[in-house]
């Protein structure tokens, strides 16, 4: 209710004798009550919004707020962000690299939020309060934008802000080059005004190349926090298998910079920089291992920190551009590995411990085999039901790996034996064969069988494995061949490598506990076979 309406109602109230209050006092009283209620709500994590003062808009506003509240409570914000990411990625099947960029004070010198409010505005007061930069804080920010303008007014104000916002020439050149490549994409992820940045990119002819993720209105159906930025980067890496270059300027960008494969900090004019970024950046570098470089925009500004801590580059440096635009070889598609899983880290630790050898190391390898049987073979081969007797006496259906009796496990000697025995523990009905050379696999080992599982502890170049695969296929053209290993050199299973080509030719699936970039080959005391059987002194 406006102060004017309240003033008129008090004047017309004949049922109660009221002390006269001028309209400006009523306005101050109302403002104080609203401010105090807003403060209390923020302290208790409660979203607060004022309805439009025009009676004909109040019902519509109330309905929108109710729907907004229901949506916030029932659908996680990250689920809505994920849906937007999926929408952006749809149809981009050749992507290998994604450039994830902050907006305000990163791709432009402008802070569009400040331009929108034409002052420091209520957002700085909000984020300086109890909610800070939490998800609740950004949701409250959405309500502030809703109070500030209806949809039509908001669009008009965004048009004005966009007209005053220029993209740095360096970013425009980068985006224009990305537009010519089908294996590189770019997305702006902003905690601010999505509509403004979409208008800016459209004006520059970049709207089809660079999409925007952000939320400042109820209709955006999301908010972007520092955590959201980091999780977008992680999703692109983990689920989409993309290499990510992240670029940002402030503390809210640090989580995504730390998550990215490569990180660039934009250093702008000193008067526009985040005052807390230097300390936060230094802490991330020194205590959390952030590896980043900085771009000075414009090029004549003073750098952050020192070159030794945060080296300077340009966005058009050949090294940086090569890292973005060079096409990467892809993994052979039928590779399964558990490299980043916690279970793999636990299982792998004793196999890499120099103090673990002999029976203890063989047991560790057997545990790896058991895990890979459950996690990998059960997915590749499937499972089947079988009848069994329950401990309480009645009959029930159990599950085992499909065609277990028609499976042959081949231990590539001698390093593959302990791991193969672990597989055999999970598939106790399978045939077990020791093979020092391909010829050790005989026709009677594969005829009438449906699957052959070739097992080794470590696969380096894959040269030996290639011979085993070819020999097995020669014995039986229809049998399914699966490879299981503890560690596989990443290069060996990249498309185009000899091993990957042979596996593709013969339809081979491969499962490993871990992929490794380390090309070191065991020698003497470090050889896996010698460590497994305590023969390092004979090396």
């Amino acid at each position: 209710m406006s102060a004017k309406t309240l003033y008129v109602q008090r004047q017309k109230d004949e049922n109660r004798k009221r002390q006269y209050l001028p309209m400006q006092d009523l306005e101050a009283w109302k403002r104080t009550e609203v401010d105090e209620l807003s403060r209390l709500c923020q302290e208790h994590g409660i979203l607060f919004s004022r309805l439009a003062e025009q009676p004909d808009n109040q019902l519509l506003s109330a309905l929108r707020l109710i729907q907004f509240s229901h949506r916030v409570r029932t659908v996680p914000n990250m689920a809505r962000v994920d849906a937007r990411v999926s929408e952006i990625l749809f149809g981009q099947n050749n992507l290998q690299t994604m450039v994830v960029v902050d907006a305000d004070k990163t791709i432009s010198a402008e802070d569009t939020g400040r331009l929108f409010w034409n002052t420091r505005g209520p957002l700085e007061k909000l984020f300086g309060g109890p909610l800070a930069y939490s998800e609740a804080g950004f949701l409250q920010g959405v309500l502030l934008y809703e109070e500030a303008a209806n949809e039509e007014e908001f669009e008009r104000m965004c048009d004005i802000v966009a007209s005053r916002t220029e993209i740095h020439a360096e970013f425009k050149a980068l985006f224009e080059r990305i537009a010519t490549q089908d294996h590189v994409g770019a997305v702006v992820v902003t905690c601010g005004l999505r509509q403004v940045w979409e208008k800016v990119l459209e004006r520059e002819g970049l709207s089809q190349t660079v999409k925007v993720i952000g939320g400042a209105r109820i209709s955006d159906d999301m908010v972007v926090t520092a955590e959201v930025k980091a999780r977008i980067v992680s999703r692109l890496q983990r689920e989409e298998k993309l290499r990510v270059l992240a670029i940002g300027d402030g503390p809210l960008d640090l989580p995504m910079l730390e998550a990215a494969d490569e990180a660039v900090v934009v250093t702008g004019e000193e008067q526009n920089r985040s005052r807390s970024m230097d300390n936060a950046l230094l802490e991330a570098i020194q205590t959390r291992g952030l590896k980043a470089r900085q771009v000075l925009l414009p090029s004549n500004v003073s750098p952050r920190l020192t070159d030794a801590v945060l080296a300077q580059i340009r966005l058009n440096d050949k090294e940086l551009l090569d890292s973005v635009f060079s096409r990467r070889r892809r993994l052979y598609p039928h590779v399964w590995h558990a490299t980043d899983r916690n279970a793999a880290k636990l299982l792998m630790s004793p196999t890499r411990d120099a103090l673990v050898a002999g029976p203890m190391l063989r047991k560790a390898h057997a545990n790896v085999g058991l895990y890979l049987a459950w996690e990998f073979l059960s997915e590749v081969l499937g499972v089947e039901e079988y009848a069994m007797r329950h401990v309480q006496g009645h009959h029930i259906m159990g599950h085992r790996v499909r065609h277990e009796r028609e499976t042959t496990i081949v231990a590539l000697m001698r390093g593959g034996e302990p791991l193969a025995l672990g597989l055999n523990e999970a598939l106790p009905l399978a045939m077990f064969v020791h093979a020092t050379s391909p010829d050790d696999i005989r026709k009677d080992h594969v005829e009438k069988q449906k699957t052959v599982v070739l097992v080794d502890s470590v696969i380096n170049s894959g040269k030996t494995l290639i011979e085993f695969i070819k020999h097995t296929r020669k014995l039986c053209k229809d049998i399914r061949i699966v490879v299981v290993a503890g560690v596989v050199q990443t290069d060996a299973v990249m498309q185009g490598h000899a091993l990957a080509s042979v596996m593709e030719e013969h339809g081979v699936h491969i499962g490993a506990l871990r992929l490794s970039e380390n090309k070191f080959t065991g020698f003497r005391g470090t050889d896996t076979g010698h460590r497994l059987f305590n023969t390092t002194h004979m090396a």
Side-chain angles (χ1 to χ4, degrees):
M1 180 184 295
S2 68
K4 182 178 180 180
T5 301
L6 181 59
Y7 178 81
V8 171
Q9 287 184 355
R10 285 171 57 87
Q11 292 294 98
K12 292 182 178 180
D13 188 358
E14 298 177 353
N15 297 322
R16 292 182 61 184
K17 185 176 181 180
R18 298 179 181 274
Q19 178 184 356
Y20 172 76
L21 289 174
M23 193 181 304
Q24 58 266 33
D25 287 359
L26 292 174
E27 182 65 46
W29 175 32
K30 174 190 169 185
R31 189 165 51 249
T32 299
E33 281 201 336
V34 169
D35 289 346
E36 182 64 14
L37 182 57
S38 174
R39 183 187 65 79
L40 287 171
C41 285
Q42 289 186 36
E43 286 182 358
H44 293 84
I46 300 170
L47 298 182
F48 173 83
S49 184
R50 294 175 294 181
L51 292 176
E53 293 187 350
Q54 296 82 0
D56 55 337
N57 290 334
Q58 286 181 346
L59 180 59
L60 179 60
S61 296
L63 286 173
R64 280 171 57 82
L65 290 173
I66 291 170
Q67 291 171 343
F68 173 69
S69 176
H70 177 74
R71 182 79 167 157
V72 167
R73 287 184 290 105
T74 57
V75 182
N77 181 60
M78 197 60 214
R80 289 173 265 138
V81 173
D82 274 335
R84 174 61 177 156
V85 173
S86 297
E87 178 186 335
I88 290 171
L89 294 175
F90 181 76
Q92 299 193 62
N93 301 322
N94 296 321
L95 280 180
Q96 294 185 359
T97 300
M98 183 67 80
V99 180
V100 179
V101 196
D102 176 45
D104 295 283
K105 297 193 286 187
T106 296
I107 64 173
S108 169
E110 304 297 345
D111 181 336
T112 58
R114 186 168 291 185
L115 288 177
F116 181 94
W117 295 101
N118 200 27
T119 177
R120 293 178 67 86
L123 290 184
E124 294 196 21
K125 181 179 178 181
L126 167 66
F127 294 133
L131 296 180
Y133 291 100
S134 65
E135 182 177 314
F138 281 101
L139 288 170
Q140 184 61 58
V142 168
L143 296 179
L144 290 177
Y145 278 113
E146 291 288 333
E147 290 177 18
N150 61 31
E151 292 295 331
E152 184 178 338
E153 292 168 339
F154 183 78
E155 283 295 319
R156 180 182 60 79
M157 294 169 75
C158 286
D159 284 333
I160 294 171
V161 173
S163 69
R164 298 170 59 186
T165 303
E166 296 291 334
I167 294 180
H168 288 301
E170 293 86 346
F171 275 103
K172 185 176 180 183
L174 177 64
F175 292 153
E176 286 175 343
R177 182 168 175 182
I178 289 173
T180 67
Q181 308 292 321
D182 66 348
H183 68 293
V184 182
V187 60
V188 169
V189 182
T190 176
C191 299
L193 296 158
R194 173 186 62 82
Q195 290 89 330
V196 167
W197 292 107
E198 286 183 341
K199 292 174 185 294
V200 171
L201 291 166
E202 184 176 13
R203 185 189 68 218
E204 300 294 340
L206 296 167
S207 59
Q208 295 304 308
T209 301
V210 186
K211 300 300 181 181
V212 182
I213 298 175
R217 298 286 286 184
I218 289 177
S219 56
D220 289 329
D221 198 32
M222 71 179 72
V223 292
V224 172
T225 64
E227 181 188 9
V228 165
K229 290 188 174 191
R231 290 181 65 178
I232 288 173
V233 169
S234 297
R235 181 239 165 110
L236 293 171
Q237 294 168 317
R238 184 180 61 255
E239 297 182 24
E240 312 302 333
K241 310 302 181 188
L242 300 179
R243 185 177 184 279
V244 177
L245 165 64
I247 308 176
D249 76 290
L252 291 180
D253 300 316
L254 281 175
M256 81 168 180
L257 294 173
E258 292 178 47
D261 298 287
E262 189 167 4
V264 172
V265 176
V266 170
T267 300
E269 298 279 2
E270 289 193 47
Q271 64 269 24
N272 294 329
R273 296 181 194 174
S274 165
R275 290 188 293 272
S276 60
M277 181 59 167
D278 278 6
N279 289 336
L281 184 57
L282 186 61
E283 181 185 0
I285 292 170
Q286 292 182 338
T287 66
R288 299 195 297 276
L290 170 64
K291 292 180 175 60
R293 293 176 288 178
Q294 64 178 318
V295 169
L296 308 184
L297 293 175
S299 59
N300 60 349
V301 301
S302 60
R304 289 188 184 274
L305 307 179
T306 65
D307 274 353
V309 176
L310 194 66
Q312 296 178 40
I313 58 167
R314 296 176 182 270
L315 282 182
N316 60 0
D317 280 355
K318 183 178 184 302
E319 179 193 355
L320 180 64
L321 293 178
D322 284 348
S323 73
V324 173
F325 292 102
S326 294
R327 290 185 181 271
R328 295 180 295 121
R329 292 184 299 157
R330 291 183 178 272
L331 273 179
Y332 171 63
H334 297 307
V335 174
W336 182 97
H337 66 97
T339 306
D340 296 323
R341 299 189 184 188
N342 288 335
K345 295 173 184 177
L346 294 172
L347 287 165
M348 186 56 64
S349 293
T351 71
R352 305 174 76 185
D353 189 336
L355 298 178
V356 177
M360 290 178 61
L361 184 57
R362 293 198 295 273
K363 176 61 177 174
H365 277 240
N367 288 339
V368 171
L370 190 60
Y371 172 79
L372 291 174
W374 288 336
E375 284 287 335
F376 169 60
L377 286 184
S378 65
E379 292 297 323
V380 173
L381 304 182
V383 296
E384 63 186 9
E385 290 185 336
Y386 70 97
M388 66 180 190
R389 191 176 184 83
H390 194 275
V391 293
Q392 295 177 350
H394 57 280
H395 286 84
I396 59 171
M397 301 305 293
H399 292 85
R400 62 190 173 203
V401 174
R402 183 179 292 136
H403 305 309
E404 185 179 322
R405 288 184 184 276
E406 293 83 35
T407 297
T408 298
I409 298 172
V410 179
L412 275 59
M413 297 300 288
R414 61 183 172 161
E417 184 189 48
L419 199 149
L421 289 171
L423 285 178
N424 202 188
E425 185 178 342
L427 285 74
L429 303 179
M431 182 189 300
F432 193 96
V433 176
H434 291 91
T436 302
S437 69
D439 290 338
D440 290 334
I441 304 176
R442 304 192 309 267
K443 191 169 183 64
D444 58 340
H445 292 148
V446 297
E447 63 182 0
K448 298 182 181 179
Q449 298 292 83
K450 294 186 180 296
T451 303
V452 167
V453 183
L454 303 174
V455 187
D456 204 352
S457 59
V458 179
I459 297 174
N460 291 310
S461 68
K463 182 179 178 181
T464 301
L465 184 59
I466 288 172
E467 298 306 315
F468 274 92
I469 292 172
K470 288 181 176 180
H471 176 75
T472 304
R473 179 61 72 223
K474 185 177 179 180
L475 290 175
C476 184
K477 64 182 180 65
D478 296 323
I479 199 164
R480 185 171 199 171
I481 302 173
V482 178
V483 175
V484 172
V487 180
V488 175
Q489 291 289 341
T490 304
D491 278 352
V493 287
M494 298 298 286
Q495 289 183 338
H497 189 279
L499 175 59
S501 298
V502 169
M503 289 194 296
E504 184 173 12
E505 179 184 353
H506 297 290
V508 178
H509 285 70
I510 182 169
L513 186 67
R514 183 171 66 92
L515 296 185
S516 174
E517 301 288 346
N518 185 358
K519 296 184 179 180
F520 175 79
T521 302
F523 178 68
R524 294 186 177 178
T526 62
D527 178 75
T528 301
H530 285 304
R531 291 177 57 230
L532 282 167
F533 298 99
N534 283 335
T535 56
T536 54
H537 62 286
M538 299 171 59

